[in-house]
Amino acid sequence: SEKEGVCEQSVIDGKLNISLTKGQQRVNNGLVRQNTLIMVAKADGASVVFKNTCAIAMISVKGNNPVVTRHLYVNSPNAALSGAGTVDMTSDNPVFVAAPIDEVAANNNVIATRYSYIDIDAKGTTITPGAEYQLAGYLVMPAGTYNSLSFELLSTVGDNKQYIQSYAPVKDITLNVGKIRPLNIT
């Protein structure tokens, strides 16, 4: 909500300006937390029809070294995972389009990494990757084809944080509006 600083919104010329949060909480009783999933509503006769404008990645994890995991980061140097964008509410098929960000970091001339993360431990629940796939959580992302997505698991012990595993699939990943795309991470 705006009060919690999750997003600020405005409407100009039929376009909804809004922001997709980077940090999304893993919940036990639903897909995503309030105001993470961007939807628009249009009147259709006497009823109102809501339409999703984003895609959802359903991420599951398995690994050889079981360890309690607190966060799952999804990174991409060339696709917007979060941040400001617009939805054309006059379209029959509204899509959240993320605004471009600076591709080059000013300090060292490298491509800036864009990321979102699932806060796995937000409800006191953790995952322990093992031999079988376990659901890490659902991540709302702009629809599109993502190149070079990488995934990093972060464990926390006291005040110490440690990346415990990273995985980068070889092929591109396409996410479609209103669809849940399973992503199994080894």
Side-chain angles (χ1 to χ4, degrees), residues 7-8 14 27 47 52 64 82 94 129 131 137 145-146 156 160 167 179:
C7 66
E8 295 181 6
V27 294
S47 62
N52 289 322
N64 295 327
S82 59
T145 298
Y146 289 80
T156 306
N160 298 319
Y167 170 74
K179 303 291 184 182

Side-chain angles (χ1 to χ4, degrees), residues 52-121:
N52 289 322
T53 66
C54 294
I56 301 173
M58 182 179 74
I59 304 176
S60 300
V61 180
K62 76 174 181 179
N64 295 327
N65 300 310
V67 62
V68 173
T69 304
R70 305 296 185 185
H71 294 90
L72 171 65
Y73 285 86
V74 181
N75 306 287
S76 176
N78 54 6
L81 301 174
S82 59
T86 60
V87 178
D88 184 355
M89 296 189 296
T90 65
S91 171
D92 289 335
N93 297 298
V95 176
F96 175 81
V97 178
I101 64 169
D102 292 337
E103 292 289 349
V104 179
N107 56 349
N108 56 6
N109 202 36
V110 297
I111 296 176
T113 298
R114 310 176 190 199
Y115 71 94
S116 290
Y117 67 91
I118 301 171
D119 187 351
I120 295 170
D121 200 38

Side-chain angles (χ1 to χ4, degrees), residues 11-32:
V11 177
I12 300 174
D13 295 330
K15 289 192 175 182
L16 172 67
N17 301 300
I18 200 165
S19 181
L20 187 61
T21 181
K22 279 189 177 179
Q24 301 181 28
Q25 291 186 342
R26 180 179 191 260
V27 294
N28 297 325
N29 56 354
L31 289 182
V32 292

Side-chain angles (χ1 to χ4, degrees), residues 61-67 69 71-73 75 129-130 150-155 162-168 185-186:
V61 180
K62 76 174 181 179
N64 295 327
N65 300 310
V67 62
T69 304
H71 294 90
L72 171 65
Y73 285 86
N75 306 287
S150 64
F151 304 84
E152 293 179 329
L153 297 172
L154 175 69
S155 62
Q162 179 181 3
Y163 287 101
I164 57 172
Q165 187 169 349
S166 63
Y167 170 74
I185 308 306
T186 300

